[in-house]
Amino acid sequence: MRKLLSSLFILLLFITNVIAQERIVTGTVKGKDDGLPLPGVSVRLKGTSVGTQTGPRGSFSIRVPGNNSVLIFTYLGYATQEVSVGSASTLDVTLGINVNQLNEVVVAAAGLTVKKSTQGYATTQITTQQVTQGKTPSVAAALSGKVAGLQVNTVSSGVNPTVRLVLRGNRSLLGNNQALVVLDNIIVPNIVLGNLNTEDIEDIQVLNGSSGAALYGSDASNGALLITTKKGKKGQTSIRFSNTTSLEQVSFFPKMQNRFGSGSSNNIQEYIPYENQQYGPAFDGSLVEIGREIEDGRIQKVLYSPTDSKNDFWDTGVLNQSDFSVSSGNDHSTIYLAGQYVTQDGTTPEDKYNRFSLRVNGSHDLANKVSLDFAANYVQNRYDITSATSTMYDQLLQTPDHVKITDYKDWQNDPFASPNGYYNDYYNNPYYTLANNRQNTRNDYLIGKAEIKWKPVEVLSFTGRLGITTQNTSYKSWVNKFVFSQFALSNGSANKASNIAGSVEDGSSYSTQLLGDLLGTFDKRYNDFNVSFTVGGQWRVNNANSQTVS
C-alpha cells in the first residue's frame, strides 16, 4: 500500500511539472529596416496547427508547451524566421525584407503584371492551397480568417448562405460597403463568390488600399479582390477527381429556462394547457393535459417534465461535393477543363440545395506576336427551401419545454399535429409551417472572357479584352391554404379563428454586364531606371429586368 501511494505521489509530481511547463509567451514583431511594428504577422508553434496573429501594434500572445518550443514568424514580403522560446516569457522579434519575394510578379488592377517591389500600396495574396485547405463549398466562405481586415459576414442562414465582404470598414451609411470582385480581369457581382468552385482558383490578390484599386474608379473605393483561375501548364497533363462529404450541425442554441411550463395569468403560476408562454408552475413530473379536446373527444396528456426537444428539431446537414479537372498544354496552347457537382441537405428539415458548374480556360499563341486567352464558366444552382424560416423559428421558441415538438412531424396524418388539433392556441406547428411555406429557386450564371495581346516590339504591348457576366433567375413561392373544420373554428382557439389563405408568387429576372478594355503599355529600362506607363479605356454596359406576378 505504501509503494502504491509513493507511485501515485511521484505521478502527481510529474503531472504537476508538465502542467507548469505550459505557459503563455508574449512579444512584439517589428520590421528590421524601420523598426515599426508589423500587424497581421502569422505566429505558429512549429510542428502543430496552433497559431495566432500580431495585433495592430505588432503584439502577440501564444501558449507554448515547454522550453523546447519553436515559433515560426511569417509575413508577406518578409523573410520567414524561426525563434526558439527556451525559458523566455517575452520575445522581441524583427523580420527582414525578403528580396526574392519582392521580385515576384503579381497580377494588379486591369490585368497588369507588376513586381511586388514596385507596388506602392498594400496587397495580400491568397494561394490555391489556402483557399482549398478547408474544402469549403464556396470561395466566399474560404476567405474567412485569411486576410487581415477582411470581414466575412454571413447574412443569411440555411443552405448556401449569402456572404457579405467588407474590406476597408463601413464607409457609407446607405451605399454599398462591399469590396469589388474582379474575376479573370472581369468585374463581376459579389454574389458570384458563392458559386465559384474553390478548386478552380489559382490565387486571389486583395487590394487593401484605395490607390491599388484606382484603375477601377469609385467602384473599388472599398478595396478589391482580384481572382485568377487556373490554366493548363505547357508540357504537363493531369487528370484529377475528388469527393468530399461534410456534416453540419447547429453550433449553438439560445439559452432558455427549463424549470417552468405553460402559463400566463397576472403573476399567478397557474397551469394553462394551451398556452405558449412559459410562466406556469415548476415542473414536477406529473401527468398533465396539453391543448384542447379534438373532434373525436380525445385530449393529449404528457409528463410535466422538460424534454429539450426544441434542439432536436434541427437535422444534421449533409453536403456532398464532387470535383474533376483536366489540364494540359503544349508549346503553343493550354487548356483547363473542370466541373463540380454539389448537393446539400440543410439543418432546417426539408431544405435542399444543389449546384453544378463547368469551367473551361485556355490560351493560344497566334502568329505575329499575338496571343489569345479565353475563359468561360457556367453555373446553375437550385434551391428548395422554406420561405418562412423566421416564422417557423418563432413557433419553435413558443413551445413550452414539456411539449415534445418532435412528436408533431406527421401533421398530415396525426390529428394532434394537424392545424385542427395542434395544442397551441396562438401558434402553428413549425413542421406544418416549413412544409406549407416553400420557395423553389433557379439561378443560372454565365461568365465569359476573351483577351487578345499584341506585342509588336519589345517595349510596347497592347491588350484588348471583352467580358460578359449574366445571371438569369426564376422562382416560385407559395403558401398552401388550409380550411379548418367547423369544430376547430368554434373551440375558442385564437389561432383557429379563421382559415389559412393560400397564395402564390412567380418571379423572374435577368441581369447582364458587358465589359470592354483597351490598354497600351510602354515598358523600357534605361540603365538603372525603369520607365513604364499604361494608357487605356473601359466601356461598360449594364442591363437588368425583373418581373413578379402574385
Side-chain angles (χ1 to χ4, degrees):
M1 184 65 180
R2 182 176 298 172
K3 288 183 178 180
L4 176 60
L5 289 174
S6 300
S7 300
L8 288 174
F9 180 69
I10 293 171
L11 179 61
L12 182 61
L13 284 177
F14 176 73
I15 292 174
T16 305
N17 186 46
V18 170
I19 293 174
Q21 287 180 355
E22 187 176 81
R23 66 190 191 281
I24 294 177
V25 174
T26 60
T28 57
V29 183
K30 297 180 180 180
K32 189 175 182 180
D33 54 336
D34 54 15
L36 295 176
L38 296 176
V41 176
S42 173
V43 184
R44 182 170 58 85
L45 184 63
K46 187 174 182 179
T48 72
S49 59
V50 177
T52 184
Q53 282 190 334
T54 57
R57 298 182 180 179
S59 59
F60 70 91
S61 174
I62 188 171
R63 187 180 294 275
V64 298
N67 294 338
N68 296 324
S69 301
V70 176
L71 296 179
I72 302 175
F73 297 82
T74 55
Y75 193 57
L76 185 65
Y78 288 77
T80 298
Q81 189 171 152
E82 295 188 7
V83 179
S84 296
V85 176
S87 59
S89 58
T90 59
L91 293 174
D92 290 323
V93 180
T94 57
L95 298 183
I97 294 176
N98 188 336
V99 178
N100 292 330
Q101 199 174 61
L102 290 177
N103 286 328
E104 290 180 6
V105 175
V106 297
V107 177
L112 303 174
T113 56
V114 298
K115 288 184 178 180
K116 287 185 180 180
S117 57
T118 66
Q119 286 182 307
Y121 46 85
T123 63
T124 303
Q125 184 178 16
I126 309 298
T127 64
T128 181
Q129 182 180 2
Q130 291 173 293
V131 174
T132 59
Q133 63 184 359
K135 280 295 183 180
T136 53
S138 73
V139 174
L143 287 172
S144 181
K146 304 292 195 307
V147 181
L150 177 64
Q151 300 175 25
V152 182
N153 301 320
T154 302
V155 296
S156 66
S157 58
V159 292
N160 194 39
T162 303
V163 173
R164 183 172 180 266
L165 301 177
V166 178
L167 185 57
R168 304 182 64 216
N170 292 315
R171 299 158 57 85
S172 171
L173 291 176
L174 301 176
N176 178 26
N177 289 294
Q178 294 200 67
L180 182 71
V181 177
V182 182
L183 176 65
D184 289 331
N185 305 324
I186 300 298
I187 297 172
V188 297
N190 289 45
I191 195 172
V192 168
L193 283 179
N195 294 277
L196 284 179
N197 183 357
T198 55
E199 298 290 342
D200 291 344
I201 305 302
E202 182 67 32
D203 71 28
I204 300 176
Q205 294 286 335
V206 183
L207 306 184
N208 306 76
S210 57
S211 59
L215 285 178
Y216 294 114
S218 60
D219 281 352
S221 61
N222 300 307
L225 277 68
L226 311 185
I227 302 174
T228 303
T229 57
K230 292 178 180 178
K231 296 181 180 178
K233 293 180 171 56
K234 294 182 178 181
Q236 298 182 23
T237 299
S238 64
I239 300 174
R240 184 177 179 279
F241 176 81
S242 66
N243 180 266
T244 303
T245 299
S246 304
L247 302 179
E248 179 185 38
Q249 289 185 322
V250 176
S251 58
F252 62 90
F253 301 97
K255 189 174 182 179
M256 302 182 70
Q257 66 86 14
N258 58 1
R259 295 175 55 198
F260 305 96
S262 302
S264 172
S265 182
N266 299 323
N267 298 325
I268 300 174
Q269 288 183 283
E270 177 187 4
Y271 178 72
I272 304 174
Y274 46 78
E275 178 60 58
N276 63 288
Q277 297 192 66
Q278 297 150 53
Y279 303 110
F283 292 127
D284 59 9
S286 62
L287 197 64
V288 297
E289 296 179 348
I290 58 171
R292 298 176 184 267
E293 186 179 282
I294 63 174
E295 194 165 0
D296 62 7
R298 289 185 294 163
I299 190 167
Q300 283 183 288
K301 291 186 178 182
V302 298
L303 289 177
Y304 196 55
S305 301
T307 66
D308 200 32
S309 65
K310 288 191 284 288
N311 295 348
D312 298 328
F313 173 86
W314 308 98
D315 287 344
T316 297
V318 180
L319 183 143
N320 274 294
Q321 178 178 321
S322 298
D323 301 279
F324 83 90
S325 64
V326 178
S327 175
S328 185
N330 55 34
D331 291 339
H332 300 286
S333 303
T334 64
I335 190 72
Y336 174 81
L337 177 66
Q340 182 186 65
Y341 186 66
V342 176
T343 61
Q344 183 178 7
D345 293 331
T347 53
T348 301
E350 299 187 25
D351 279 10
K352 299 181 184 299
Y353 167 79
N354 70 74
R355 182 177 78 224
F356 168 76
S357 67
L358 185 66
R359 168 175 290 277
V360 57
N361 291 352
S363 65
H364 185 66
D365 294 332
L366 305 174
N368 300 321
K369 298 183 179 180
V370 178
S371 63
L372 169 68
D373 276 358
F374 62 89
N377 186 202
Y378 170 72
V379 182
Q380 68 169 30
N381 62 42
R382 305 289 185 263
Y383 294 83
D384 178 5
I385 59 175
T386 178
S387 58
T389 302
S390 59
T391 301
M392 174 202 69
Y393 186 57
D394 189 23
Q395 292 166 354
L396 193 64
L397 297 183
Q398 300 294 340
T399 304
D401 218 37
H402 65 289
V403 177
K404 192 175 181 181
I405 191 64
T406 51
D407 287 345
Y408 296 89
K409 287 183 180 181
D410 191 9
W411 61 270
Q412 293 171 306
N413 300 304
D414 182 356
F416 290 114
S418 162
N420 277 321
Y422 191 56
Y423 82 94
N424 200 317
D425 260 17
Y426 306 98
Y427 290 86
N428 271 330
N429 179 357
Y431 285 106
Y432 170 84
T433 298
L434 69 84
N436 289 274
N437 295 261
R438 307 296 299 174
Q439 179 171 309
N440 288 339
T441 304
R442 175 193 61 82
N443 290 304
D444 293 283
Y445 302 88
L446 178 63
I447 305 169
K449 178 201 78 168
E451 182 177 288
I452 293 180
K453 292 185 178 181
W454 178 39
K455 196 170 186 178
V457 292
E458 186 63 28
V459 297
L460 189 63
S461 63
F462 296 96
T463 301
R465 184 183 304 122
L466 184 65
I468 182 173
T469 303
T470 181
Q471 176 187 3
N472 285 273
T473 300
S474 66
Y475 71 89
K476 180 185 287 289
S477 180
W478 71 91
V479 177
N480 287 326
K481 73 174 183 177
F482 188 89
V483 179
F484 287 102
S485 67
Q486 288 301 315
F487 181 85
L489 288 171
S490 61
N491 73 353
S493 170
N495 195 46
K496 303 176 181 65
S498 60
N499 297 322
I500 300 174
S503 64
V504 64
E505 179 176 293
D506 284 278
S508 63
S509 65
Y510 73 82
S511 62
T512 301
Q513 176 177 274
L514 292 174
L515 190 71
D517 290 315
L518 184 60
L519 304 172
T521 301
F522 175 83
D523 189 355
K524 187 174 182 179
R525 188 167 191 85
Y526 297 93
N527 298 324
D528 293 335
F529 297 93
N530 192 80
V531 178
S532 176
F533 62 87
T534 299
V535 295
Q538 186 180 83
W539 164 81
R540 186 167 73 178
V541 175
N542 289 83
N543 191 14
N545 180 277
S546 64
Q547 299 175 12
T548 303
V549 179
S550 59

